[in-house]
Amino acid sequence: MSLEYTNDAELSQKAIEEVLEAYPEKAAKKRKKHLGTIVAEGEGSSCGVKSNVKAIPGVMTIRGCAYAGSKGVVWGPVKDMVHISHGPVGCGQYSWSQRRNYFTGQVGVDSFVTMQFTSDFQEKDIVFGGDKKLEKVIDEIKGLFPLVRGISIQSECPIGLIGDDIEAVARKKAKDVGLPIIPVRCEGFRGVSQSLGHHIANDAIRDWVFSRDSESAFETTPYDVNIIGDYNIGGDAWASRILLEEMGLRVIAQWSGDATIAEMERAPKAKLNLIHCYRSMNYICRHMEEKHGVPWMEYNFFGPSQIEKSLRAIAANFDETIQKKAEEVIAAHRPTVDAVINKYKARLEGKRVMLYVGGLRPRHVMTAYEDLGMQICGAGYEFAHSDDYQRTTEYAKEGTLIYDDLTGYELERFIEKLRPDLVGSGIKEKYAVQKMGVPFRQMHSWDYSGPYHGYDGFAIFARDMDMAINNPVWALLKAPWTKAAAE
């Protein structure tokens, strides 16, 4: 399926022009700002796309809302808390266990990640308010689940519209039931995407978790670190933790995946914050640096080249003992890396990949594909900000097509023009792309596979990409452009 081409930049620019031709003049003018290519500039590069603005009304967008950013990403994976979806049942039902946030514990006893709790608003609650109903829900939770360690209130759209005072309820019931109760004003209509939900959730951690009298007796060491912004999809955070502990560091908090509220409370006591998903958790890391003096840095454990680079960068923050152990870890895992590359590179080399995912993944997984000899021909985000795209230029090659808040129409046309051998995106795009005859991997939750972090995760990643691209089923399907050429 690979397309013969001579110039990535020309191909990408032609694809943009053809997409914009289909729009009315006003819509084309707006969308043009969100589409571009990687351009070399001196010693660096840029892509210049506009981001973090409202989607065009009437155009299908693939984004989520602020509630999704808070409940589905930041708070939902915290395992020993109950997270109430405060509002009608629909939002909570849709977000019920939709991500594969692995955790240890007994469901319904001391872990509640895969359970769904809602105040189930009815018409009378919209009219008369839901404060009393929320209080009753909290009492029921405390009675039914005596080992719960905290409760968060994830507010849905009607809560902000009718003015329920969830903060007052949280303060009152925290005294009544003796638990931390965290109100989160993450109504879905706030902001332009789930990104603001991340920010609001981070602010709730700052104001309602860090302000508590946390474990003053917690004993620290010079090697304490936090894993921040890893949601343990398919066990990713565990894979990362293994590598950090192999090099002699102690992970004292891992959140939100497999996290406890106690870990969140003691996070400011660490010596270094290691942030995986920059977009969702940079706010709380910046706060910890300003308020508690905890420095932070990004790391990338997708693919061997970035794993080695990240391990060395992390070790540079500590003494020679950690630096030496980091090199030992890299050397110990090199045979595994060589075996994976020897097995899969010949089958994947030269294959072209288009990525369209939320969070940080379009840039973080680029080099993992390249470690296998694959090429990234297009990449973009659902809810990125300008600094995300600037970071993307450090990974992407000149001429790579870059797109922000892509529409369904644009995705299909870009696929048709660039002819990728693989598309990595979300569940909403999966089946439409596969019906086009193009191999697909669900890169929000690893298509029920994983982990993809770490050296062992790289082996799973390579196997899954090979399984997607080289599956014989694709011989039974023809892409639309192939059918058109035949006709």
Side-chain angles (χ1 to χ4, degrees):
M1 192 187 297
S2 292
L3 180 72
E4 294 298 324
Y5 64 99
T6 56
N7 188 307
D8 268 341
E10 289 180 7
L11 182 65
S12 298
Q13 194 57 46
K14 183 65 175 175
I16 292 172
E17 291 170 3
E18 290 190 8
V19 160
L20 295 176
E21 284 175 5
Y23 287 129
E25 183 179 351
K26 188 175 181 180
K29 185 178 179 180
K30 287 184 177 181
R31 283 304 298 161
K32 185 177 181 179
K33 298 174 183 178
H34 297 266
L35 309 172
T37 60
I38 297 292
V39 179
E41 288 186 351
E43 296 182 359
S45 58
S46 69
C47 59
V49 300
K50 194 170 184 178
S51 60
N52 197 37
V53 298
K54 289 183 179 179
I56 299 173
V59 175
M60 179 63 73
T61 181
I62 302 166
R63 287 171 165 174
C65 65
Y67 165 85
S70 176
K71 197 266 186 179
V73 178
V74 177
W75 281 102
V78 181
K79 66 183 181 183
D80 64 348
M81 295 180 66
V82 162
H83 309 287
I84 302 171
S85 293
H86 186 36
V89 69
C91 298
Q93 175 68 19
Y94 183 74
S95 62
W96 181 9
S97 195
Q98 68 172 359
R99 305 186 84 204
R100 298 169 57 248
N101 308 109
Y102 283 6
F103 61 93
T104 57
Q106 186 68 38
V107 175
V109 177
D110 59 358
S111 298
F112 309 93
V113 176
T114 53
M115 300 184 72
Q116 154 64 357
F117 300 84
T118 179
S119 53
D120 188 23
F121 257 47
Q122 303 298 313
E123 208 168 302
K124 60 181 174 59
D125 300 311
I126 300 294
V127 175
F128 297 108
D131 288 353
K132 287 185 172 57
K133 189 170 192 178
L134 180 58
E135 291 184 21
K136 184 179 179 182
V137 170
I138 293 170
D139 288 334
E140 288 179 354
I141 288 170
K142 177 61 176 175
L144 289 169
F145 306 103
L147 295 184
V148 68
R149 293 290 178 259
I151 297 171
S152 78
I153 303 167
Q154 307 290 319
S155 53
E156 299 172 18
C157 289
I159 307 309
L161 296 174
I162 66 176
D164 271 9
D165 192 347
I166 61 172
E167 291 82 8
V169 173
R171 292 188 184 96
K172 176 185 176 184
K173 297 309 293 182
K175 295 177 181 177
D176 291 346
V177 300
L179 293 173
I181 298 179
I182 318 298
V184 190
R185 285 280 181 187
C186 57
E187 292 89 354
F189 58 75
R190 294 180 183 272
V192 302
S193 71
Q194 57 261 58
S195 181
L196 184 61
H198 304 150
H199 200 160
I200 292 168
N202 281 213
D203 288 349
I205 295 170
R206 177 197 66 198
D207 298 337
W208 293 81
V209 177
F210 288 172
S211 62
R212 287 170 48 81
D213 183 19
S214 59
E215 302 168 87
S216 56
F218 181 76
E219 294 185 11
T220 62
T221 75
Y223 303 126
D224 292 346
V225 298
N226 296 322
I227 295 176
I228 304 290
D230 193 319
Y231 304 101
N232 208 29
I233 306 298
D236 279 341
W238 294 336
S240 299
R241 187 172 188 141
I242 287 169
L243 287 179
L244 295 172
E245 290 175 349
E246 281 182 356
M247 63 188 282
L249 299 177
R250 185 175 77 149
V251 179
I252 65 168
Q254 169 189 303
W255 43 287
S256 297
D258 197 33
T260 64
I261 189 169
E263 288 182 64
M264 298 172 77
E265 289 175 351
R266 67 175 175 247
K269 298 179 183 295
K271 301 299 185 293
L272 179 67
N273 277 326
L274 302 174
I275 182 169
H276 173 63
C277 183
Y278 171 85
R279 180 73 278 131
S280 62
M281 286 289 194
N282 75 87
Y283 317 101
I284 199 66
C285 287
R286 294 178 190 278
H287 169 73
M288 279 192 269
E289 183 174 44
E290 294 169 5
K291 181 73 179 291
H292 303 281
V294 183
W296 61 275
M297 61 171 286
E298 276 193 273
Y299 72 99
N300 182 351
F301 279 176
F302 285 111
S305 59
Q306 289 300 319
I307 294 173
E308 291 184 9
K309 184 177 179 180
S310 292
L311 287 175
R312 289 181 174 126
I314 293 167
N317 292 275
F318 298 93
D319 58 29
E320 292 181 0
T321 302
I322 300 299
Q323 294 170 23
K324 182 181 177 182
K325 285 185 178 180
E327 295 299 329
E328 291 172 357
V329 170
I330 292 169
H333 288 280
R334 214 159 252 153
T336 301
V337 171
D338 293 341
V340 172
I341 291 176
N342 289 339
K343 181 176 181 179
Y344 292 106
K345 190 169 184 178
R347 297 169 59 82
L348 297 172
E349 194 160 19
K351 301 295 185 183
R352 291 159 57 77
V353 183
M354 270 184 65
L355 299 170
Y356 181 54
V357 200
L360 81 167
R361 287 173 182 146
R363 72 173 184 270
H364 265 202
V365 299
M366 281 182 179
T367 48
Y369 284 107
E370 291 169 354
D371 288 338
L372 294 167
M374 304 171 78
Q375 304 169 18
I376 305 298
C377 60
Y381 302 85
E382 296 170 16
F383 49 82
H385 296 202
S386 59
D387 50 354
D388 293 299
Y389 284 104
Q390 188 54 47
R391 284 170 164 77
T392 302
T393 63
E394 301 170 13
Y395 293 89
K397 291 181 170 55
E398 186 174 8
T400 303
L401 177 63
I402 301 294
Y403 31 79
D404 174 70
D405 189 23
L406 203 58
T407 68
Y409 168 76
E410 291 166 355
L411 179 63
E412 290 186 15
R413 290 304 304 272
F414 286 148
I415 291 173
E416 183 175 348
K417 189 66 181 175
L418 271 61
R419 309 282 176 87
D421 299 283
L422 179 71
V423 174
S425 191
I427 191 66
K428 290 185 281 250
E429 301 78 65
K430 177 177 179 177
Y431 301 106
V433 172
Q434 287 180 331
K435 287 176 181 178
M436 296 172 72
V438 179
F440 186 96
R441 287 300 299 183
Q442 210 271 66
M443 294 300 286
H444 282 290
S445 61
W446 308 152
D447 248 335
Y448 317 106
S449 184
Y452 282 177
H453 288 191
Y455 291 106
D456 293 336
F458 178 63
I460 299 170
F461 171 84
R463 180 205 66 191
D464 287 355
M465 300 309 126
D466 174 56
M467 182 171 61
I469 290 176
N470 295 309
N471 193 312
V473 72
W474 303 115
L476 305 176
L477 296 171
K478 290 186 180 297
W481 52 85
T482 306
K483 291 180 181 179
E487 291 171 359

